[in-house]
Amino acid sequence: DVKVTQSSRYLVKRTGEKVFLECVQDMDHENMFWYRQDPGLGLRLIYFSYDVKMKEKGDIPEGYSVSREKKERFSLILESASTNQTSMYLCASQELGGYNEQFFGPGTRLTVL
Amino acid sequence: QKEVEQDPGPLSVPEGAIVSLNCTYSNSAFQYFMWYRQYSRKGPELLMYTYSSGNKEDGRFTAQVDKSSKYISLFIRDSQPSDSATYLCALASNTGNQFYFGTGTSLTVIP
């Protein structure tokens, strides 16, 4: 079974802090994604990556950056957290090539005070 | 205009009812139509997907795609309390990599 794990289930940070969210997948998938999920807005794509050291902006990249130094690990970075970044953050992985299922991690509920 | 529109609900039905969940979309390039189920405090999991038009059945679940109307549906027969979750539709083009999600419909099945 594919397993996508996220470093924290719940996280509380203060405004202005640098925040790291980590995601690890164990199925050797090339594609990895970061979404945020908010009530009434659904899942919105922040960044995705098709390969190591490769990244593409999604629909809402402002205020975020990502890092993919190893194939299995995709990190989301909030350089200076703000209250409007309080959200559920979901990581997903997907095999490369045509249509393939995206497998999601359990999510990180981030609260920025 | 959003790529995908989905009624957020919430929807509350008695056990055994037939449930109908729907999404509309605007981009005719979408070819893959998916339904994800998300239990509380969990990540979404793929329930079923359909390629192009038509119906697909899996046990108590039926997915329908009407590309001419840009309308997709998920039907749940004989609904069970364990079906209580948020259901998200998701669409993808032929490249298949990037998914566009609806906002999700929250369903509660009352015993």
Side-chain angles (χ1 to χ4, degrees):
Chain A
D1 277 352
V2 173
K3 194 164 184 183
V4 180
T5 56
Q6 296 185 228
S7 50
S8 305
R9 294 301 305 274
Y10 299 94
L11 211 51
V12 179
K13 295 293 181 181
R14 297 216 171 265
T15 303
E17 281 192 79
K18 190 168 187 175
V19 182
F20 293 86
L21 303 181
E22 299 243 301
C23 175
V24 178
Q25 51 96 2
D26 66 357
M27 281 302 290
D28 201 36
H29 285 171
E30 289 80 8
N31 298 343
M32 295 188 76
F33 305 81
W34 274 107
Y35 295 89
R36 63 178 282 176
Q37 184 176 29
D38 300 287
L41 297 175
L43 270 71
R44 293 180 292 166
L45 182 64
I46 305 171
Y47 268 96
F48 58 101
S49 170
Y50 291 151
D51 202 353
V52 175
K53 297 193 187 295
M54 182 275 181
K55 61 186 178 186
E56 293 281 347
K57 291 180 180 178
D59 299 319
I60 51 162
E62 297 79 19
Y64 303 94
S65 62
V66 290
S67 172
R68 191 156 181 210
E69 296 295 320
K70 293 186 177 182
K71 190 175 185 180
E72 67 271 17
R73 190 179 298 268
F74 192 34
S75 300
L76 180 69
I77 302 152
L78 287 66
E79 294 290 342
S80 178
S82 63
T83 54
N84 62 13
Q85 292 178 310
T86 292
S87 186
M88 169 70 85
Y89 289 88
L90 289 161
C91 173
S93 75
Q94 180 191 47
E95 194 174 343
L96 184 68
Y99 168 77
N100 287 295
E101 179 181 351
Q102 286 189 14
F103 294 88
F104 283 85
T108 296
R109 169 71 64 185
L110 172 68
T111 302
V112 182
L113 301 175
Chain B
Q1 185 185 7
K2 286 184 182 177
E3 297 270 15
V4 185
E5 299 276 359
Q6 182 176 8
D7 186 344
L11 197 56
S12 185
V13 301
E15 184 175 351
I18 296 174
V19 176
S20 171
L21 305 168
N22 310 293
C23 288
T24 59
Y25 64 96
S26 55
N27 189 344
S28 57
F30 290 135
Q31 295 288 341
Y32 294 93
F33 304 93
M34 296 153 273
W35 288 95
Y36 275 78
R37 180 173 60 194
Q38 184 177 21
Y39 290 114
S40 181
R41 291 185 286 278
K42 302 270 189 180
E45 291 181 308
L46 183 67
L47 189 59
M48 54 197 307
Y49 82 93
T50 309
Y51 175 71
S52 195
S53 279
N55 293 359
K56 187 172 185 178
E57 192 172 314
D58 184 1
R60 296 184 294 107
F61 298 88
T62 300
Q64 272 186 4
V65 176
D66 181 349
K67 291 183 73 178
S68 61
S69 302
K70 296 188 176 68
Y71 191 86
I72 67 171
S73 301
L74 178 71
F75 297 96
I76 307 174
R77 291 186 301 280
D78 187 26
S79 56
Q80 301 294 308
S82 58
D83 297 328
S84 298
T86 296
Y87 290 81
L88 301 114
C89 61
L91 290 74
S93 65
N94 261 335
T95 59
N97 289 323
Q98 196 165 344
F99 292 3
Y100 294 86
F101 287 87
T103 52
T105 300
S106 175
L107 171 67
T108 301
V109 181
I110 302 166

